[in-house]
Amino acid sequence: MSAVFWQRTWHALALLACTAWPVVSAAQPAPSPTAIVSRIRSTGNRPIDFHAAVFPDTVYVGQQVTYQVAVLLSDNARSRLRRNPEFLPPELRGMLSFELGIPKRVAARSYGGGPAYETHVFQRALFAVTAGPLQVPAPQLTYSLPQSASYFSREERYMVRAESAQLVVRPLPTEGRPADFTGAVGVLSASARFNSSAVRVGDPLLFTVRLEGVGNVRLLPAPALELSWATVVRGSERVRVDTSGALVRGVKEFDYLVTPTRDGPVTLPVVRYPYFDPYREAYLVAETRPADVRVAAGDLAENAAAEDMEQAALRPWRHRPPVTLNTVTAGWRMVLLTLLVLAPLPAIVMRWQRVRRRRAALAPAPGTALKHEATPDDDSPAGVARRTRRTVLGQLAARLQTPVADLVTQADVERIVRRRGVTRATTRDLLDLLDDLAVAGFAPHGHTDAAPSSLESRAARLLQRVHEEAVTHGRTRLTARRGRRLVGVAFMLAPAALWRPLPAGAQESLPTSSIWSAQPLVACEPPAGNVAGRAAPSALDLLVGEGTAAYQARRFSSAAERFASAVVTCPGDVDLLVNWGTAAWAANDTVSAVIAWQRAARLDPLAADIQGALALLPSGARDGLADIPMVPVVPVALVALVAWCSGWWLLAWAWRTSRGSTWQSSLATVLVVAALAAGATAWWGHRALDASALAVVRRPETLRTAPGFDAATAGGVSTGDVVRLLSNQEGWSSVALADDRTGWIPASRLAPLVDRSATR
């Protein structure tokens, strides 16, 4: 009898130890409620002392940190205090906090040989949401003491600060991480239940998954539930947090609305919930128990399910390369940019030649005699000299294409003549002629030896030399040679100047903000090879096949995971993006559906099925910042390029002769203006379709006016809302909404609309 008793007792103790292991393992690392007292070494003989510390000082992301604050009161201060001290907690950024337990009182004792102090310890539980070194700022305690024992004595205010605490937050390890790990941290157990034992086809049932354990249960994500014999719709969530003990613990329940689609015996599968135990430093899995269920016959949901499957059919995967400007090869990019920049040059050259011909027609013909005034006013030698000087300056101005008023002084004449390419000798002779004509025309009688006829012959010869040496259109010969060289060099070096060499590995992937595309693009997997006469399927083909089979078997979560993996391999394939969004939407994963359909719509804005899928999303995921203009950027950009080149070349054809064609010039002007309008439209569409600064809200969250959970609220956001990222600060993101509201939410609540890792 005694042996049987002890055997049963041993089995009971073993069963109790196995059942209570999560609590025991979690309770062991919890610090003492008064652990900070052992760290106090001296008080400095202050009437009220103040200290703070964290336990432990190195944790994982999501692991609890106990923050203790100790207020030490001397006997003198306790007797004089008329009101409680005011405690100003530290500003916590990148951490969540909970008030932990009730204050603990430590009996009066001496610290470091000073007076005895009565200690009151307050605790908070902190949970870091980002990895890296963090600092808990020093808290502040303010108190007032009367200056004397009189009741009417004035009070003197004091302020004391505690120590700031340093904390090191380690990221969760990657070794041993399960593929379906979603970020849960703690010590957890799982269970499941139905709300009814009678199961019938078409009758919805409430299936509840219960997660219980130690940790911040508010941050636990929902487990994935897939049933091949029923449709599953996510329901509400309930959270209960218990902060009365040393460690925060609680319960979180997830409701699922399950509607059977076929009758017969079925099995409720095991719900796996992987989590990271920070105390064992290992990944574990909490599992529910399987259950056999008998589904009675019914005809309420089968037809509806078939209709839903027809409405949400997958796109056939056609292995189509993405049609974006980013797919243009480097050589073609160089050619297109060269055409874009050099297209106006022929028209400019034709216009320049046309103006040159017009000005050349206005210049006097070489070899002609001086053309004097028809009615000379004075036939004297001085009058002839003055008339000859005016004629020389007039014909010189016409030949050099400059106003006569600019040829007043010798310095002006020399400067203009030299700039037109006239040699130094001819310029010097011309200046001497003008001096002799001025002396002969304006000097007193008898002060000139040159005859008027000789001056006229000199003027005719000099004008002939100027005409031969001067360059038309006001350019010197040196400038003309340099201009021709520069034009030739520009034609040869323009492609090299316009082309920017890309770093290694960047040919397949360009940044999202590049001018070529509004989405990052990575080259898809090459076609599969041929093995033993049969086409060997590639990894991408296998992923797509598995995703399609899982979707047809109504395992929507598995299908969404397969299509998501395929999108990582080929992020620019519109078919894969659409199928990923369809499977995610069927699996009630609104965030993944928004990301997939938004990316697909920005790559193919004119697809009717994608626009119809976007209409299923909440308003915050398809309107405002998420609105997608139906602008095909690539065709509009090509139209702009063709119209630009055609317009300038037609204008060059119209200007190739001195007359030109009016209708050709008008048509060319229309084409150039249309090219500018199309280019502006393509640029606007590119900017509107750029999603590099957009993110999707993972779950409902409250906006804060400043980074920190203690900041004032400014409304909220819903699951699937598209917001614009403004800045990041210590695990918080500043976002802007479509209704012009701005605020801060935790960065972990946001999923980038564009996978930036694809561009690295």
Side-chain angles (χ1 to χ4, degrees):
M1 188 66 173
S2 176
V4 173
F5 172 76
W6 286 112
Q7 184 178 7
R8 292 180 177 178
T9 302
W10 172 255
H11 284 298
L13 291 176
L15 179 62
L16 180 61
C18 294
T19 305
W21 165 248
V23 177
V24 173
S25 64
Q28 284 179 352
S32 169
T34 59
I36 190 175
V37 175
S38 60
R39 291 193 177 185
I40 301 175
R41 295 292 181 264
S42 175
T43 61
N45 295 328
R46 289 188 290 265
I48 296 180
D49 202 7
F50 192 36
H51 296 275
V54 292
F55 303 92
D57 56 3
T58 302
V59 294
Y60 287 98
V61 173
Q63 181 182 353
Q64 176 180 329
V65 178
T66 303
Y67 181 64
Q68 293 186 356
V69 175
V71 181
L72 285 69
L73 300 175
S74 63
D75 293 338
N76 183 24
R78 187 171 63 254
S79 62
R80 296 170 58 192
L81 275 176
R82 297 178 179 177
R83 62 181 66 87
N84 291 331
E86 298 178 2
F87 171 65
L88 182 62
E91 182 180 358
L92 301 176
R93 296 185 178 181
M95 290 182 286
L96 307 178
S97 64
F98 296 89
E99 295 294 337
L100 195 61
I102 59 176
K104 303 296 182 181
R105 178 179 175 276
V106 180
R109 52 175 289 190
S110 176
Y111 299 92
Y117 286 86
E118 180 183 280
T119 307
H120 298 266
V121 181
F122 304 85
Q123 296 187 100
R124 271 190 176 186
L126 307 180
F127 293 90
V129 296
T130 57
L134 295 178
Q135 181 178 13
V136 181
Q140 177 179 313
L141 187 71
T142 305
Y143 62 94
S144 301
L145 294 177
Q147 296 180 353
S148 65
S150 173
Y151 179 78
F152 301 99
S153 174
R154 298 178 59 182
E155 294 183 348
E156 188 172 357
R157 191 176 182 85
Y158 300 92
M159 181 182 68
V160 61
R161 291 181 179 273
E163 303 87 354
S164 60
Q166 301 294 331
L167 183 64
V168 177
V169 182
R170 296 186 292 179
L172 299 182
T174 57
E175 183 179 358
R177 179 182 297 180
D180 54 348
F181 177 71
T182 55
V185 179
V187 182
L188 305 175
S189 61
S191 61
R193 67 177 186 273
F194 270 123
N195 68 335
S196 176
S197 58
V199 183
R200 184 172 178 267
V201 173
D203 292 343
L205 297 174
L206 187 65
F207 180 70
T208 302
V209 177
R210 177 187 175 96
L211 299 176
E212 181 178 5
V214 175
N216 187 2
V217 295
R218 289 185 178 178
L219 298 182
L220 296 180
L225 179 63
E226 296 182 1
L227 300 177
S228 60
W229 49 271
T231 60
V232 181
V233 178
R234 277 276 306 276
S236 59
E237 302 177 0
R238 295 176 299 278
V239 180
R240 295 194 303 272
V241 180
D242 181 12
T243 59
S244 59
L247 296 175
V248 175
R249 58 183 305 114
V251 176
K252 191 170 187 178
E253 295 181 341
F254 302 89
D255 291 338
Y256 299 86
L257 195 63
V258 178
T259 305
T261 57
R262 60 182 175 87
D263 56 355
V266 295
T267 300
L268 183 65
V270 174
V271 178
R272 289 173 42 89
Y273 195 79
Y275 65 93
F276 178 74
D277 189 339
Y279 308 112
R280 300 186 189 180
E281 298 185 355
Y283 289 95
L284 304 176
V285 178
E287 297 181 346
T288 62
R289 294 182 179 180
D292 295 329
V293 180
R294 179 77 183 183
V295 180
D299 56 354
L300 297 180
E302 187 173 0
N303 294 334
E307 294 176 359
D308 290 341
M309 288 297 294
E310 292 178 358
Q311 295 176 359
L314 296 178
R315 259 193 179 192
W317 187 38
R318 289 163 285 188
H319 299 263
R320 295 185 306 172
V323 183
T324 61
L325 290 175
N326 200 19
T327 58
V328 181
T329 60
W332 279 108
R333 276 182 241 160
M334 181 174 59
V335 172
L336 293 177
L337 281 176
T338 303
L339 289 176
L340 184 66
V341 175
L342 301 183
L345 290 183
I348 294 174
V349 171
M350 293 300 176
R351 184 64 178 177
W352 175 73
Q353 292 181 352
R354 184 176 180 180
V355 174
R356 179 181 179 180
R357 287 192 297 268
R358 286 183 178 179
R359 293 183 176 179
L362 299 177
T368 59
L370 293 176
K371 297 181 180 180
H372 295 287
E373 299 176 1
T375 56
D377 55 352
D378 189 0
D379 292 334
S380 63
V384 173
R386 289 193 297 269
R387 187 167 63 252
T388 303
R389 189 175 188 274
R390 290 196 300 268
T391 302
V392 169
L393 291 177
Q395 294 189 15
L396 190 64
R399 179 63 185 87
L400 301 180
Q401 300 173 6
T402 184
V404 181
D406 292 345
L407 302 176
V408 177
T409 65
Q410 286 192 354
D412 295 336
V413 174
E414 182 180 7
R415 174 174 52 83
I416 295 176
V417 169
R418 288 292 297 151
R419 286 188 176 181
R420 299 309 190 269
V422 179
T423 61
R424 295 181 181 273
T426 303
T427 303
R428 184 170 58 253
D429 294 342
L430 179 62
L431 295 178
D432 294 341
L433 173 64
L434 293 177
D435 286 341
D436 294 342
L437 289 174
V439 171
F442 301 101
H445 296 288
H447 285 74
T448 178
D449 297 332
S453 59
S454 63
L455 293 177
E456 290 183 356
S457 61
R458 284 177 58 191
R461 291 194 301 271
L462 282 175
L463 287 177
Q464 176 67 23
R465 290 167 59 186
V466 170
H467 183 85
E468 292 175 354
E469 296 177 2
V471 179
T472 311
H473 294 286
R475 300 190 314 170
T476 62
R477 294 175 177 175
L478 180 59
T479 307
R481 290 195 299 269
R482 289 178 178 176
R484 288 192 293 268
R485 292 174 183 173
L486 289 177
V487 171
V489 172
F491 272 97
M492 291 185 295
L493 299 183
L498 295 173
W499 168 246
R500 258 188 333 183
L502 296 177
Q507 296 289 345
E508 299 86 4
S509 174
L510 288 179
T512 306
S513 60
S514 78
I515 192 174
W516 296 111
S517 174
Q519 288 290 337
L521 187 61
V522 177
C524 298
E525 188 173 301
N530 191 287
V531 180
R534 294 178 300 174
S538 63
L540 187 59
D541 294 326
L542 294 176
L543 282 175
V544 176
E546 292 175 359
T548 304
Y551 187 84
Q552 294 174 352
R554 305 187 66 80
R555 293 183 287 107
F556 301 124
S557 296
S558 296
E561 292 178 0
R562 299 299 186 274
F563 284 122
S565 301
V567 168
V568 171
T569 304
C570 189
D573 195 305
V574 179
D575 296 336
L576 294 180
L577 287 169
V578 173
N579 292 342
W580 176 28
T582 302
W585 182 257
N588 300 303
D589 187 355
T590 304
V591 176
S592 297
V594 171
I595 294 175
W597 285 341
Q598 281 280 337
R599 289 187 190 177
R602 294 174 189 276
L603 289 173
D604 191 1
L606 299 183
D609 57 341
I610 302 178
Q611 296 295 331
L614 290 176
L616 301 175
L617 299 175
S619 60
R622 52 183 168 84
D623 298 329
L625 296 175
D627 186 31
I628 298 177
M630 300 180 68
V631 178
V633 176
V634 176
V636 174
L638 293 179
V639 168
L641 180 62
V642 172
W644 177 263
C645 296
S646 302
W648 282 108
W649 291 341
L650 184 60
L651 200 59
W653 178 265
W655 286 345
R656 66 188 176 89
T657 60
S658 59
R659 295 181 180 180
S661 178
T662 304
W663 72 267
Q664 290 177 349
S665 301
S666 302
L667 180 59
T669 303
V670 171
L671 288 176
V672 171
V673 173
L676 293 176
T681 303
W683 176 253
W684 172 80
H686 163 72
R687 297 300 299 270
L689 295 175
D690 184 14
S692 57
L694 299 181
V696 182
V697 179
R698 296 181 184 271
R699 63 185 67 180
E701 185 60 46
T702 303
L703 283 176
R704 306 284 177 174
T705 57
F709 288 95
D710 53 348
T713 61
V717 291
S718 303
T719 301
D721 285 353
V722 177
V723 298
R724 184 178 300 280
L725 296 175
L726 301 179
S727 62
N728 294 303
Q729 180 178 341
E730 298 181 0
W732 288 77
S733 296
S734 176
V735 300
L737 279 68
D739 55 1
D740 296 333
R741 287 186 298 152
T742 58
W744 293 82
I745 60 176
S748 59
R749 300 291 195 273
L750 298 175
L753 190 57
V754 175
D755 186 10
R756 298 180 181 86
S757 62
T759 64
R760 297 174 185 170

